[in-house]
Amino acid sequence: MTDGSNILRASYHTLGCKLNFSETSAIGMQLASRGIIKALRDEIPDIVVVNTCSVTEVADKKGRSLIRRLRVRWPEATLVVTGCYAQLKPQEVASIEGVDIVLGSDEKLRIADFLEQWEKDRRSRVEVHDYLDIHEFRGACERGDRTRYWLKVQDGCDYFCTYCTIPFARGRSRSGRIAELVSEAEKAAAAGGKEIVLTGVNVGCFGKDTGEDFLELLMRLDAVEGIERYRISSIEPNLLTEKIVSWIAAESRAFMPSFHIPLQSGSDEVLRLMNRRYRTDLFSDRIDMIRDLMPDAFIGVDIIAGARGETEKEWERSYGYAEALPVSRYHVFPYSERPGTKALGIDYQVSQQEKHRRVAMLTKLSDEKLRSFSRRFFGTERPVLWEHPDSEEEGFMFGHTDNYLRVRARASNTFYNTITPALIDGFADTETLSGTAVDLRSSQD
C-alpha cells in the first residue's frame, strides 16, 4: 500500500466496549503490516478510522459527533467508519459529510483490502452484509496502548433480548478455535504480556458452533507459560456454571478473582419482558457461589434503569434486590429506545425525569458498594500489576490488584508491567485506593 517513499499514517478512534478496542488494535496491526504506521499525536494522518458503538441512542450521537469533529480537524484524510453504528445504520453514516468508506461488522477486519481499493479508484463505498449473512469468526488479540492484552474468543449473540440491537449489529454467535486462541496467548506471552482479558459479545456461548467447550478453553489458556493473569470481560449468569467458578477458585493458576456479570434488572417481571435467560433466584445463586468460594472476589454488575415495563412497583423490587446483593460495583445504564427492538411493543414507559432519578439512585448505591468493598482491604497487601505512571505526579504508578481494585502507589517506572505486592492504606480518590508498592527484589536482598 506504500512504496516507502510516501509513508501513510493512520489515526484510530474507538467508542464502546472492550471488544471494540481489541478489534481497533487488530485493525492497526493489519494496516501496519501493509506499511501504514500509527500517527503520533502531533502528526496529520492520511487515514482516520472510527470504530463506533450503537448500544444506545447516546452512543449513536457520540459517533456522529466524533466523525464530524475528525472531519473538521483533518479534512484531507480518508475517513473510514466501522463498528456497530455503521452496521445498523450504514446509509445514515454514509450521509455524514466527509465519510469515504463505511464498513460493517463482517468487513471491519478486512479494512486493508478496502483501503487498497480506495487508493486505486477513490470511490466512496458502503460495504455491509446483513447480520444473517455474518458467519465467519475474525480473531483479534492486541494490546494497543494498554498494558493488558484483549483476546477475542467469541463474537455475535443468539439471545435477542427485547431491548438490544447487538445481534443485528454483530450477527449470530460464533467462536474461535481453542488451538488458535492458545497460540495467540502464547504470542502475547512472548511479547512480554502479563495479563489477558477474554472478550466477546457473549463469551459464555463459546464453542456452541464449533463443538468445543468454554471451560476447556479456560484450562488450556491457564497452562500458557508467561501469562500471569486472565480475566473474563463479561459473562451471562446462566452461562457462569458451578464448574467454571469452582475451577477458578480451586484449581486455576492465573484466572483472577474478578467477575463482570450482567443483571439488567432486579425484577423478575422486567427480566421476563427483557427476554433474559434467568431470574433473580439464579442470579443470587451465582453471586452466593462466588462469595462462598472467593470471598475477596470483585463482582461488577450491569443494571439498566427505567426499562419499558419497569413500573414504580417493579422499580422498587429491582432497587431493593440490587441493594441487598453482596456485589462490589454496579455499572448503571439508562434504558435507551432502540429502533426495531421488540421492547417498543411494551406499553409502560418511564419518563426521562424518572429515569434520571433512578440512574442517580443506582449510581449512589454503586458508589457505596465500591467504597464498602474497598475498605475491607485497608491494611492488607495485594498483588498489583503496575500499568502506567501518574502523569500528574512523578514517582507514582497506577495498577490493579488481583481482584481488580485500582491502586495508586509510590513506585518508580521500573515497576511497569511487573506484579508486586502493595500495602493498601486508604483512598486516593473515589474510585482508586492508595498504597505503597513493595519491591520484591529489595525485600529478598
Side-chain angles (χ1 to χ4, degrees):
M1 200 170 288
T2 174
D3 60 6
S5 60
N6 182 27
I7 297 175
L8 298 178
R9 289 172 169 79
S11 176
Y12 302 95
H13 307 269
T14 308
L15 298 171
C17 63
K18 294 175 181 178
L19 180 56
N20 264 10
F21 280 91
S22 171
E23 291 175 336
T24 298
S25 294
I27 289 170
M29 293 294 290
Q30 181 187 138
L31 296 189
S33 71
R34 304 284 186 101
I36 301 173
I37 65 175
K38 183 176 182 180
L40 300 177
R41 185 167 296 181
D42 59 346
E43 292 180 326
I44 298 175
D46 304 286
I47 300 164
V48 175
V49 179
V50 184
N51 193 359
T52 61
C53 174
S54 189
V55 69
T56 63
E57 175 57 30
V58 171
D60 287 358
K61 289 179 180 178
K62 286 182 178 179
R64 290 192 294 272
S65 176
L66 176 60
I67 292 164
R68 288 169 179 144
R69 290 199 313 271
L70 293 171
R71 169 50 68 207
V72 170
R73 185 177 181 185
W74 296 306
E76 302 301 320
T78 300
L79 181 53
V80 184
V81 181
T82 186
C84 291
Y85 181 34
Q87 173 70 34
L88 289 171
K89 300 178 181 179
Q91 297 306 323
E92 182 175 304
V93 172
S95 70
I96 300 174
E97 186 177 354
V99 172
D100 297 305
I101 302 173
V102 179
L103 301 179
S105 297
D106 201 38
E107 292 75 21
K108 178 188 292 188
L109 295 178
R110 293 192 290 124
I111 187 172
D113 295 334
F114 293 108
L115 281 170
E116 197 166 273
Q117 186 62 39
W118 164 263
E119 286 294 310
K120 295 176 182 177
D121 59 24
R122 294 281 163 169
R123 183 173 63 85
S124 297
R125 54 183 22 89
V126 176
E127 301 284 350
V128 177
H129 276 91
D130 185 88
Y131 78 97
L132 291 173
D133 295 326
I134 301 175
H135 303 294
E136 187 176 350
F137 175 81
R138 302 184 190 278
C141 180
E142 303 298 340
R143 176 169 55 187
D145 295 329
R146 300 164 182 262
T147 300
R148 59 178 66 89
Y149 279 75
W150 310 92
L151 176 60
K152 177 181 172 181
V153 303
Q154 182 272 344
D155 202 348
C157 186
D158 296 337
Y159 274 17
F160 290 93
C161 298
T162 57
Y163 58 88
C164 184
T165 58
I166 296 303
F168 307 105
R170 286 272 181 179
R172 306 303 290 264
S173 181
R174 54 205 185 277
S175 313
R177 291 283 184 174
I178 289 178
E180 295 170 357
L181 298 172
V182 168
S183 176
E184 291 296 329
E186 291 171 342
K187 291 176 186 176
K194 293 291 194 299
E195 179 173 322
I196 292 178
V197 180
L198 309 188
T199 67
V201 175
N202 191 348
V203 297
C205 279
F206 173 87
K208 302 296 184 183
D209 56 327
T210 63
E212 296 185 317
D213 178 73
F214 187 53
L215 180 54
E216 181 187 358
L217 170 66
L218 305 188
M219 291 177 172
R220 292 278 302 279
L221 290 172
D222 200 57
V224 175
E225 294 183 6
I227 301 300
E228 298 184 42
R229 290 183 169 185
Y230 288 99
R231 302 186 196 276
I232 302 169
S233 61
S234 178
I235 185 168
E236 292 286 311
N238 53 302
L239 299 174
L240 182 61
T241 65
E242 182 177 357
K243 284 185 177 180
I244 291 173
V245 174
S246 298
W247 176 79
I248 291 174
E251 300 179 50
S252 171
R253 172 191 64 85
F255 275 85
M256 295 294 99
S258 65
F259 297 85
H260 189 130
I261 313 169
L263 168 62
Q264 310 306 20
S265 176
S267 156
D268 283 340
E269 172 60 14
V270 175
L271 289 175
R272 183 189 69 78
L273 292 172
M274 288 178 165
N275 195 33
R276 300 294 286 167
R277 304 295 181 95
Y278 55 87
R279 298 295 180 261
T280 53
D281 56 349
L282 182 143
F283 198 92
S284 294
D285 177 73
R286 297 301 187 265
I287 300 301
D288 292 342
M289 181 169 55
I290 293 170
R291 281 282 169 254
D292 287 344
L293 296 175
M294 291 170 274
D296 292 346
F298 186 98
I299 306 175
V301 172
D302 292 342
I303 190 166
I304 296 172
R308 283 212 179 204
E310 190 181 74
T311 63
E312 185 64 29
K313 179 180 178 182
E314 298 308 328
W315 155 247
E316 290 175 359
R317 284 177 174 167
S318 182
Y319 183 84
Y321 179 79
E323 190 176 33
L325 270 182
V327 301
S328 311
R329 184 177 195 174
Y330 285 104
H331 299 266
V332 184
F333 301 90
Y335 170 72
S336 178
E337 301 275 40
R338 306 308 291 140
T341 58
K342 290 186 177 180
L344 299 182
I346 300 170
D347 290 335
Y348 187 87
Q349 297 185 58
V350 180
S351 70
Q352 286 299 113
Q353 182 179 3
E354 176 61 17
K355 198 181 297 182
H356 292 324
R357 186 185 75 88
R358 295 178 187 183
V359 166
M361 287 183 65
L362 286 169
T363 300
K364 183 174 182 290
L365 175 62
S366 175
D367 292 342
E368 292 168 354
K369 293 277 188 185
L370 180 59
R371 291 185 74 82
S372 176
F373 179 75
S374 299
R375 284 193 190 97
R376 293 173 43 193
F377 304 100
F378 288 5
T380 68
E381 286 188 3
R382 305 293 300 193
V384 175
L385 172 60
W386 301 105
E387 296 163 355
H388 62 89
D390 187 337
S391 60
E392 298 181 358
E393 187 171 3
E394 189 175 349
F396 285 85
M397 294 282 290
F398 287 100
H400 281 85
T401 64
D402 55 335
N403 60 343
Y404 207 60
L405 290 170
R406 189 170 187 256
V407 177
R408 177 184 183 269
R410 186 175 294 280
S412 71
N413 290 352
T414 60
F415 278 60
Y416 174 77
N417 203 34
T418 66
I419 298 175
T420 73
L423 177 63
I424 308 300
D425 56 31
F427 288 107
D429 59 40
T430 56
E431 296 187 353
T432 307
L433 297 174
S434 65
T436 303
V438 179
D439 190 335
L440 292 180
R441 292 165 297 182
S442 60
S443 67
Q444 293 171 349
D445 291 342

